[in-house]
């Protein structure tokens, strides 16, 4: 399914954190959102997921306007967010976390068995309490928990945060298996170089607004937009 | 009366307190909602049973078949459309609203009923006892104890094994993230409210058969329920039953030594737990 965001703004109280952002992701595509701290990357994902209300603009999935829907209803339509900091249910086992993930009621290729194939790390820990695992195991579980909900749009908020580089490479290597099912991925990433290697599109935010967006961008241009300096 | 008999009575009394505390353990312990109206609604259930038994001369047990669904439906509506609006990082709004509800229920009962002591009866079963050597065990307290075991067992299975139970535990961990999985927390809260009020109806009627009650009895029942939950350890249903038994034994054994200070001794034991074992017997971590 195609996700289409038009003129989306959002605010925390009086503070506008996102201004008139538009983007479009086709099925199976990866769009990376880059930007400095406080640029509005997480805010953009939260607003698309419905955790934060949009003040202007709209979010469409195919031709369906979901802008006014609650987060739980968007999840049932396949818009799933892996939140920043993983947010597993610490008192539940890994298996129970995955079972809660199936509450979207969506059928598809992803089941507890198939996500265990994708993440052997998760399979080894199925009966462990989620709160007692390492960061890498928790992040893999958080992605698996969203996957079992069979997303049409999967949003990943800083999955590399606080993880060892080898684990991050391993997690990123799985994304192809997800997009080949037609799932689009929106991911937030601090590391511009890593984002540029996996993504079909880059969307660079600066102070809540789009600084640069497109395909096949030059790394130097992205870096310039990231810091808000002109290349010319 | 010997100490052993007092202790057995205390364990059985703990069954009744456990019945009370079960619903509270679910909504306070697991879902972290403080409901101070709990005792008043138990008493309201007992008065409903009284009205039914007097008007139709049906047994209080039969009346439960009507009262439990009515109270559960009321609990659903109250949670979904009143208490849901009080949910806040601060517990104060829900404390104030439920305290207000308790005052309303108590005074409505005082206005429409009377301040007299009332009692429900099952006829002969009220006073029947089993004789085991030196020890006499009341049939009715034993039945209540077994009922508490069964209901807590079922509730515990529901919480541990079903999708609904997983949702309840997930919400208790992180309500915001649960929504990202397509679950509507409001609906889960409302069903929990229904379960809690169904249990409070059973507890209120059971208590009304075991001992007399008046419109103001609710506050004492509420204190026992909270004490049981805290002694047992917040968030654990079986802990709550054990906590209720500790409280029951403290009261009955205490009464064997100082008959007029039964309740005080129960409270002192509770305070000792707060002082030396603030996380309760099961010791689950409490959230700040």
């Amino acid at each position: 399914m195609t996700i289409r965001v038009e003129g989306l703004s959002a605010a925390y109280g009086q503070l506008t954190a996102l201004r008139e952002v538009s983007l479009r992701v086709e099925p199976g595509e990866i769009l990376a959102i880059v930007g400095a701290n406080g640029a509005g990357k997480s805010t953009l994902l939260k607003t698309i997921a419905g955790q934060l209300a949009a003040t202007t603009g709209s979010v469409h999935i195919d031709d369906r306007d979901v802008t006014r829907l609650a987060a739980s209803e968007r999840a049932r339509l396949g818009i799933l967010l892996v939140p920043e900091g993983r947010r597993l249910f610490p008192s539940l086992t890994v298996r129970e976390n995955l079972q809660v993930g199936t509450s979207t009621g969506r059928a598809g290729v992803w089941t507890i068995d198939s996500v265990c194939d994708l993440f052997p790390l998760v399979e080894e820990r199925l009966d462990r309490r989620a709160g007692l695992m390492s960061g890498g195991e928790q992040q893999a579980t958080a992605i698996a928990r969203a996957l079992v909900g069979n997303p049409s749009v999967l949003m990943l908020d800083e999955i590399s945060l606080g993880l060892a580089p080898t684990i991050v490479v391993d997690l990123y290597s799985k994304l192809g298996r997800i997009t080949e099912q037609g799932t689009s991925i929106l991911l937030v990433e601090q590391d511009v170089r890593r984002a540029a290697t996996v993504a079909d599109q880059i969307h660079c935010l600066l102070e809540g607004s789009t600084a640069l967006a497109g395909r096949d961008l030059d790394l130097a241009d992205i870096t310039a937009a990231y810091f808000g300096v002109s290349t010319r | 009366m010997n100490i052993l008999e007092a202790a057995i009575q205390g364990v059985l009394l703990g069954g009744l307190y456990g019945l009370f505390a079960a619903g509270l353990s679910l909504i306070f312990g697991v879902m972290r909602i403080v409901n101070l109206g709990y005792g008043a609604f138990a008493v309201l259930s007992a008065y409903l049973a009284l009205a039914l038994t007097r008007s139709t001369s049906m047994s209080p047990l039969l009346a439960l078949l009507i009262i439990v669904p009515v109270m559960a439906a009321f609990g659903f509506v109250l949670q979904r459309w009143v208490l849901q609006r009080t949910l806040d990082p601060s517990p104060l709004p829900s404390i104030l609203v439920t305290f207000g509800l308790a005052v309303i229920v108590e005074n409505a009962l005082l206005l429409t009923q009377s301040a007299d002591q009332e009692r429900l009866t099952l006829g002969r079963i009220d006073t029947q006892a089993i004789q085991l050597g030196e020890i006499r065990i009341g049939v009715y307290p034993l039945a209540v104890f077994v009922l508490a075991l069964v209901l807590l067992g079922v509730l515990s299975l529901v919480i541990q094994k079903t999708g609904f139970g997983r949702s309840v535990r997930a919400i208790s961990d992180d309500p915001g993230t649960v929504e990202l999985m397509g679950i509507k927390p409001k609906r889960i809260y409302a069903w929990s409210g229904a379960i809690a009020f169904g249990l409070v109806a059973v507890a209120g009627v059971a208590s009304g058969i075991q001992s007399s009650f008046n419109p103001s009895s609710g506050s004492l029942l509420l204190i026992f329920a909270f004490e049981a939950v805290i002694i047992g350890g917040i968030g654990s249903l079986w802990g709550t039953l054990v906590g209720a038994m500790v409280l029951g034994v403290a009261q009955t054994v205490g009464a064997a030594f100082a008959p007029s200070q039964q309740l005080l001794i129960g409270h002192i034991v509770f305070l000792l737990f707060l002082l030396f074992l603030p996380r309760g017997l099961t010791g689950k971590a409490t959230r700040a």
Side-chain angles (χ1 to χ4, degrees):
Chain A
M1 284 197 265
T2 304
I3 182 139
R4 190 157 48 88
V5 171
E6 277 166 7
L8 198 66
S9 305
Y12 297 103
Q14 295 284 312
L15 181 77
T16 300
L18 197 66
R19 288 189 182 82
E20 303 278 328
V21 171
S22 299
L23 55 85
R24 180 187 176 102
V25 192
E26 303 296 336
E29 268 195 331
I30 299 181
L31 175 135
I33 301 155
V34 298
N37 279 334
K41 306 183 296 292
S42 295
T43 308
L44 174 56
L45 294 194
K46 279 184 191 165
T47 314
I48 295 173
Q51 276 198 319
L52 198 63
T55 49
T56 70
S58 65
V59 178
H60 283 80
I61 180 146
D62 282 343
D63 286 324
R64 175 140 191 205
D65 186 351
V66 300
T67 320
R68 301 279 157 247
L69 295 186
S72 59
E73 287 164 293
R74 295 190 207 196
R76 290 177 165 271
L77 291 171
I79 305 177
L80 295 181
L81 170 65
V82 177
E84 190 176 1
R86 298 132 201 171
R87 307 296 287 268
L88 294 178
F89 306 115
S91 70
L92 274 59
T93 64
V94 169
R95 190 193 303 278
E96 288 175 330
N97 268 275
L98 298 182
Q99 285 169 330
V100 173
T102 60
S103 306
T104 58
R106 294 172 61 81
V109 295
W110 297 113
T111 59
I112 292 180
D113 286 339
S114 63
V115 298
C116 282
D117 287 341
L118 185 62
F119 295 106
L121 212 58
V122 172
E123 184 166 32
E124 284 169 30
R125 296 282 184 263
L126 275 177
D127 293 313
R128 224 164 197 235
R129 271 187 206 280
L132 301 175
M133 296 195 302
S134 74
E137 291 166 344
Q138 289 196 12
Q139 189 63 71
T141 305
I143 298 172
R145 183 180 62 179
L147 264 191
V148 292
N150 285 295
S152 48
V153 179
L154 178 65
M155 298 191 282
L156 307 171
D157 197 347
E158 299 226 29
I159 54 173
S160 50
L161 200 71
L163 300 185
T166 54
I167 294 170
V168 177
V169 169
D170 183 50
L171 288 176
Y172 269 93
S173 72
K174 316 282 190 190
L175 297 187
R177 291 269 303 276
I178 299 170
T179 52
E180 75 187 16
Q181 306 296 334
T183 300
S184 356
I185 295 181
L186 274 76
L187 60 89
V188 161
E189 179 55 66
Q190 290 269 4
D191 183 339
V192 174
R193 200 177 299 270
R194 182 176 288 127
T197 53
V198 297
D200 303 295
Q201 300 184 50
I202 299 278
H203 199 107
C204 187
L205 291 178
L206 180 69
E207 292 172 359
S209 305
T210 305
L212 184 73
R215 295 160 197 272
D216 304 319
L217 297 172
D218 192 45
L219 202 57
D221 289 337
I222 303 170
T223 311
Y226 187 107
F227 293 109
V229 293
S230 171
T231 46
R232 278 171 261 280
Chain B
M1 184 165 68
N2 66 43
I3 298 298
L4 180 64
E5 185 167 327
I8 289 172
Q9 280 181 5
V11 168
L12 298 184
L13 183 62
L16 180 64
Y17 293 165
L19 215 46
F20 263 114
L24 196 74
S25 182
L26 178 67
I27 56 168
F28 169 63
V30 182
M31 314 207 74
R32 326 254 167 188
I33 302 166
V34 180
N35 189 342
L36 296 185
Y38 216 72
F41 287 110
V43 174
L44 176 66
S45 306
Y47 272 98
L48 286 176
L50 196 66
L52 280 172
T53 51
R54 284 200 179 143
S55 60
T56 64
S57 73
M58 67 167 75
S59 149
L61 294 183
L62 213 55
L64 271 180
L65 292 180
I66 299 166
I67 296 168
V68 169
V70 167
M71 287 301 284
F74 180 71
F76 186 97
V77 170
L78 185 72
Q79 183 64 48
R80 179 66 188 80
W81 283 284
V82 180
L83 298 183
Q84 186 67 41
R85 292 167 205 269
T86 69
L87 285 187
D88 191 80
S90 152
L92 205 56
S94 67
I95 291 177
L96 290 175
V97 168
T98 54
F99 183 67
L101 283 171
V103 173
I104 291 170
V105 169
E106 188 178 326
N107 284 285
L109 287 174
L110 277 172
L111 277 175
T112 56
Q113 309 298 312
S114 73
D116 296 345
Q117 294 284 346
E118 303 279 5
R119 188 150 185 186
L120 295 160
T121 175
L122 287 179
R124 283 191 304 136
I125 299 170
D126 287 352
T127 51
Q128 275 177 356
I130 302 166
Q131 189 80 41
L132 285 175
E134 294 286 291
I135 298 160
R136 281 171 60 85
I137 298 171
V139 169
Y140 179 73
L142 185 65
V144 170
F145 181 78
V146 171
L147 179 68
L149 277 184
V150 169
L151 285 180
L152 267 161
V154 170
L155 185 60
S156 180
L157 272 178
V158 166
I159 295 299
Q160 289 304 321
K161 301 289 179 202
T162 67
F164 169 78
R166 268 195 303 277
S167 302
V168 166
R169 286 179 291 136
I171 287 174
S172 142
D173 275 355
D174 191 339
T177 303
V178 165
E179 278 189 81
L180 296 176
M181 322 275 122
I183 295 169
K184 294 191 171 84
K186 286 178 187 174
R187 193 171 290 170
I188 304 288
Y189 280 125
W191 281 111
S192 304
I195 293 172
F197 270 64
L199 285 169
V200 93
V202 175
V205 173
S207 165
I209 297 168
Q210 186 146 339
S211 56
S212 57
F213 56 93
N214 64 53
S216 311
S217 305
S219 49
L220 200 57
L221 297 174
L222 179 76
I223 290 173
F224 291 159
F226 267 108
E227 286 180 345
V229 170
I230 291 168
I231 292 174
I234 289 169
S236 163
L237 289 170
W238 287 117
T240 296
L241 182 63
V242 177
M245 291 194 284
V246 168
L247 188 65
V249 171
Q251 289 183 358
T252 50
V253 174
F257 290 104
S260 60
Q261 300 307 326
Q262 159 175 23
L263 297 185
L264 178 70
I265 291 164
H267 294 323
I268 288 173
V269 168
F270 161 70
L271 288 175
L272 288 176
F273 268 93
L274 262 191
L275 206 57
F276 296 109
L277 209 60
R279 287 181 169 181
L281 290 167
T282 53
K284 284 204 177 180
T286 54
R287 199 195 292 170

